[in-house]
């Protein structure tokens, strides 16, 4: 994945000010954005997905420009065709696991399952071992099942890249290890470019082909002192 | 008895029609404005909220006065409607619909705003990155998660519109069979000394309002607290 990010944005709320000014270039299949909480990791990932608009700068993925303040280009999230897995998964509480996974395949105005998507959904339910909970609602799921549902929902659209916001932070230690391994295998099998943000060093060890270290809204100089 | 039955049915049907249409109008505009206030940032947002809540606290006669100024023969809107289309809303049942809609509006708009604000914006973002247009985001995520709160407001608005008196009387008057709604008919019956009719009308409007509130309670209890369950 060719990921080019050079953005800045100022956030103001209740007298506080946060300056995000992040520039980096990545060209591995697995990129980890690493840093303490409040360093601007989530904001950077959201900007790549189009969920926040930078004040200035440029974002491109695999040669496709997503955002360019000079040419006033700003693709809507739906046009960027990247998948985004939220930290607490953001599963739709009013839809079953099956309906959650099929959500992006249906481009209508109402929540109806498109007939052609059934086989596709079944396949993803099997791949992620959640067929047994297909008709349950998100509140009835365990942490691991929720994450698998979120991954299936994101991947079924055949995105060009997979963005994950602290994917294992909500899981307990043993489950974290298991899900890390599963994502590792899934990424290798699908060969989908992946960018993951984390403050957990074990994630860096597994997924950090390339590591971008953020501190106070900026890219920090050396990774060595980040992990030291 | 036949005469009193007629004297009750006509205003009852008129009241149901006026309150029903008024609720639909209030819903259409209320949902749109509530969504704007819940999801968009703009200057004067809270001032707009205050102005739109005013009908809840202003005396209905004051609202009626404003509506007369607006819709009357020489009013801004009334004058234009008369010149362009030959429409006169004053002393018409359509005028009663507008009066009831204005009075009931805050009861739709306030709960709708709260319902939209209770929907996690992250869920809407999730729908966007899954390739959905803004309209689909609204219809498939926002509205299904907010509709119970909106429905609760709509039922209260309907009950309030059924009982509307002051603003309706000022705008639409009290023309039997045309603009005389149930609540106005009660007033007229008492004034004319028709005690039996008044009692019958009072019991009728009370039953309708109780039925609406029971319906609201039947549709809503427990589910508002847990909107996730169907």
């Amino acid at each position: 994945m060719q990921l080019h990010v050079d953005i800045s944005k100022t956030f103001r709320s209740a007298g506080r000010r946060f300056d995000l000014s992040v520039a980096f270039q990545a060209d591995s299949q697995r990129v980890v954005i690493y840093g303490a909480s409040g360093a601007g990791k989530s904001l950077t990932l959201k900007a790549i997905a189009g969920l926040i608009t930078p004040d200035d700068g440029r974002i491109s993925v695999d040669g496709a420009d997503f955002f360019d303040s000079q040419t006033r280009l700003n693709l809507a999230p739906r046009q960027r065709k990247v998948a985004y897995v939220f930290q607490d998964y953001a599963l739709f509480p009013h839809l079953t696991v099956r309906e959650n996974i099929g959500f992006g395949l249906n481009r209508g105005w109402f929540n109806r399952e498109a007939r052609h998507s059934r086989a596709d959904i079944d396949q993803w339910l099997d791949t992620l071992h959640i067929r047994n909970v297909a008709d349950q609602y998100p509140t009835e799921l365990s942490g691991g099942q929720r994450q698998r549902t979120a991954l299936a929902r994101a991947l079924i659209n055949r995105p060009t890249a997979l963005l994950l916001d602290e994917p294992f932070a909500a899981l307990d230690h043993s489950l974290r290890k298991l899900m890390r391994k599963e994502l590792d295998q899934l990424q290798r099998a699908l060969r989908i470019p992946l960018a993951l943000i984390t403050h957990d060093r074990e994630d860096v060890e597994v997924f950090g082909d390339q590591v971008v270290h953020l501190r106070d809204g900026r890219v920090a100089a050396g990774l060595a002192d980040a992990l030291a | 008895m036949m005469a009193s039955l007629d004297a009750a049915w006509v205003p009852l049907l008129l009241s149901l029609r006026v309150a029903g249409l008024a609720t639909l109008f209030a819903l259409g505009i209320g949902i749109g404005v509530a969504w704007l206030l819940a999801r968009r940032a703009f200057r004067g947002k809270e001032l707009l909220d205050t102005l739109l809540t005013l009908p809840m606290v202003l005396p209905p006669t004051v609202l009626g006065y404003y509506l007369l100024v607006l819709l009357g023969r020489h009013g801004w809107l009334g004058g234009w409607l008369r010149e362009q289309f030959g429409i006169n809303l004053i002393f018409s049942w359509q005028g009663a619909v507008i009066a009831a809609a204005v009075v009931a509006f805050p009861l739709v708009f306030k709960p709708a705003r709260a319902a939209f604000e209770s929907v996690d914006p992250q869920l809407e973002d999730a729908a966007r990155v899954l390739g959905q247009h803004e309209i689909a985001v609204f219809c498939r995520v926002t509205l299904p998660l907010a509709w119970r709160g909106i429905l609760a407001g709509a039922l209260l608005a309907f009950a309030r519109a059924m009982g509307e008196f002051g603003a309706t009387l000022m705008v639409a008057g009290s023309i039997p069979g045309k603009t005389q709604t149930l609540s106005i008919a009660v007033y007229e019956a008492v004034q004319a000394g028709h005690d039996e009719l008044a009692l019958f009308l009072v019991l009728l409007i009370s039953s309708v309002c109780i039925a609406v509130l029971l319906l609201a309670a039947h549709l809503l209890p427990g589910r508002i607290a847990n909107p996730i369950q169907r």
Side-chain angles (χ1 to χ4, degrees), chain B residues 76-110:
Chain B
W76 306 327
L77 195 59
W80 181 77
L81 280 173
R82 194 164 56 95
E83 271 169 35
Q84 296 293 318
F85 307 102
I87 294 173
N88 179 26
L89 288 170
I90 303 303
F91 295 120
S92 72
W93 70 268
Q94 290 91 340
V97 170
I98 293 176
V102 168
V103 171
F105 181 80
L107 292 170
V108 172
F109 152 72
K110 278 280 180 188

Side-chain angles (χ1 to χ4, degrees), chain A:
Chain A
M1 171 172 54
Q2 295 274 342
L3 178 59
H4 176 94
V5 175
D6 182 356
I7 51 169
S8 62
K9 185 173 175 76
T10 301
F11 296 87
R12 285 189 187 85
S13 72
R16 282 182 22 185
R17 184 190 156 113
F18 180 74
D19 287 308
L20 183 75
S21 180
V22 172
F24 66 88
Q25 214 156 350
D27 46 19
S28 352
Q29 282 290 89
R30 293 144 75 112
V31 181
V32 168
I33 302 174
Y34 175 82
S37 65
K41 308 188 296 291
S42 280
L43 295 173
T44 304
L45 204 67
K46 285 207 162 101
I48 296 172
L51 297 175
I52 60 168
T53 306
D55 297 336
D56 259 314
R58 220 183 123 220
I59 299 170
S60 73
V61 174
D62 286 334
D65 285 335
F66 284 1
F67 176 81
D68 191 338
S69 58
Q70 285 196 332
T71 59
R72 296 178 153 258
L73 173 81
N74 185 17
L75 292 188
R78 65 173 185 277
Q79 298 168 311
R80 301 191 180 198
K81 297 192 168 53
V82 297
Y84 193 105
V85 175
F86 291 83
Q87 182 168 358
D88 45 13
Y89 316 131
L91 298 175
F92 303 118
H94 58 302
L95 302 178
T96 63
V97 167
R98 169 181 286 283
E99 290 166 336
N100 262 283
I101 294 173
F103 188 89
L105 295 176
N106 168 7
R107 293 294 158 86
W109 286 7
F110 301 100
N111 288 315
R112 267 184 313 224
E113 186 182 320
R115 201 170 297 160
H116 62 264
S117 58
R118 197 161 181 92
D120 230 5
I121 298 171
D122 282 340
Q123 192 202 322
W124 279 101
L125 286 168
D126 287 338
T127 305
L128 287 153
H129 318 295
I130 44 177
R131 190 151 199 165
N132 56 328
V133 293
D135 296 315
Q136 294 187 18
Y137 289 90
T139 43
E140 303 167 300
L141 303 180
S142 70
Q145 288 166 338
R146 273 181 215 178
Q147 177 162 68
R148 292 188 180 114
T149 306
L151 276 171
R153 184 179 74 174
L155 291 169
I156 200 169
N157 281 342
R158 304 182 198 292
T160 53
L162 177 60
L163 311 178
L164 302 112
D165 186 349
E166 300 266 8
F168 314 114
L171 306 173
D172 64 43
H173 185 72
S174 57
L175 194 56
R176 195 175 300 170
K177 272 200 145 116
L178 177 71
M179 292 308 299
R180 198 180 277 132
K181 204 171 132 200
E182 276 197 25
L183 181 64
D184 184 21
Q185 288 166 350
L186 200 60
Q187 190 276 331
R188 284 177 203 280
L190 299 171
R191 295 208 190 116
I192 182 171
L194 167 158
L196 176 154
I197 66 181
T198 187
H199 64 270
D200 185 337
R201 259 192 250 168
E202 285 179 55
D203 292 341
V204 178
E205 274 157 32
V206 176
F207 297 102
D209 292 1
Q210 189 166 354
V211 182
V212 178
H213 180 211
L214 293 192
R215 184 187 290 157
D216 299 329
R218 270 154 222 284
V219 176
L223 179 65
D225 41 283
L227 297 177

